[in-house]
Amino acid sequence: MTELIVLRTRPWIVIFIRLKPEQYILLVDDDPDEHLLFADALKELRGAPRLVYSPDGHQLMQFLNGEKELPAIIFLDLNMPRMNGFECLQEIRKSLKLNRIPVVIFS
């Protein structure tokens, strides 16, 4: 069964996502405060999906390329060390395995 998730990460940002119970959200950001903000927003939801973190784009690409179960959606920060969000998005869109994953860019 697909569940509608309403994620409010900031007072002015509300995101609606339909997820199956086994799906997860992937957050890519080098700022631990953003991780806490997303985690707190998800805690308020009944049946909240799992949240997976990646601190930078390089680790994101390593994780995705080794993962069998891909995330339902990726929240991608633009300003990160090693590999920024633009570079990650280019790699994701070039990959036949990854290019269908929705990506939300934030900064």
Side-chain angles (χ1 to χ4, degrees), residues 1 3-4 6 12 36 39-43 45 47 52 57-58 61-62 67 70 73 76 78 86 90 92 101 103:
M1 172 190 258
E3 185 170 337
L4 177 64
V6 180
W12 60 91
L36 292 173
D40 286 346
L42 285 174
K43 283 179 190 173
L45 302 174
V52 175
H58 181 72
M61 297 313 299
Q62 285 183 327
E67 191 69 9
L70 296 174
I73 190 167
L76 181 62
L78 289 181
F86 289 115
Q90 286 177 331
I92 290 168
I101 302 171
V103 178

Side-chain angles (χ1 to χ4, degrees), residues 66-82:
E67 191 69 9
K68 290 182 183 175
E69 295 295 324
L70 296 174
I73 190 167
I74 299 172
F75 289 88
L76 181 62
D77 182 24
L78 289 181
N79 301 312
M80 297 180 293
R82 296 178 73 188

Side-chain angles (χ1 to χ4, degrees), residues 14-99:
V14 178
I15 299 165
F16 297 90
I17 309 167
R18 287 205 180 273
L19 295 179
K20 295 178 182 169
E22 67 275 6
Q23 291 180 303
Y24 63 95
I25 294 173
L26 181 56
L27 172 63
V28 188
D29 196 319
D30 59 321
D31 183 354
D33 290 337
E34 290 294 332
H35 296 184
L36 292 173
L37 188 66
F38 268 75
D40 286 346
L42 285 174
K43 283 179 190 173
E44 294 180 13
L45 302 174
R46 182 178 52 88
R50 184 169 52 110
L51 181 63
V52 175
Y53 304 112
S54 182
D56 65 57
H58 181 72
Q59 286 187 25
L60 165 70
M61 297 313 299
Q62 285 183 327
F63 174 79
L64 289 175
N65 287 319
E67 191 69 9
K68 290 182 183 175
E69 295 295 324
L70 296 174
I73 190 167
I74 299 172
F75 289 88
L76 181 62
D77 182 24
L78 289 181
N79 301 312
M80 297 180 293
R82 296 178 73 188
M83 179 185 255
N84 68 39
F86 289 115
E87 294 166 327
C88 291
L89 187 59
Q90 286 177 331
E91 292 298 313
I92 290 168
R93 293 301 174 232
K94 286 192 304 189
S95 169
L96 292 176
K97 176 183 175 185
L98 307 175
N99 66 11

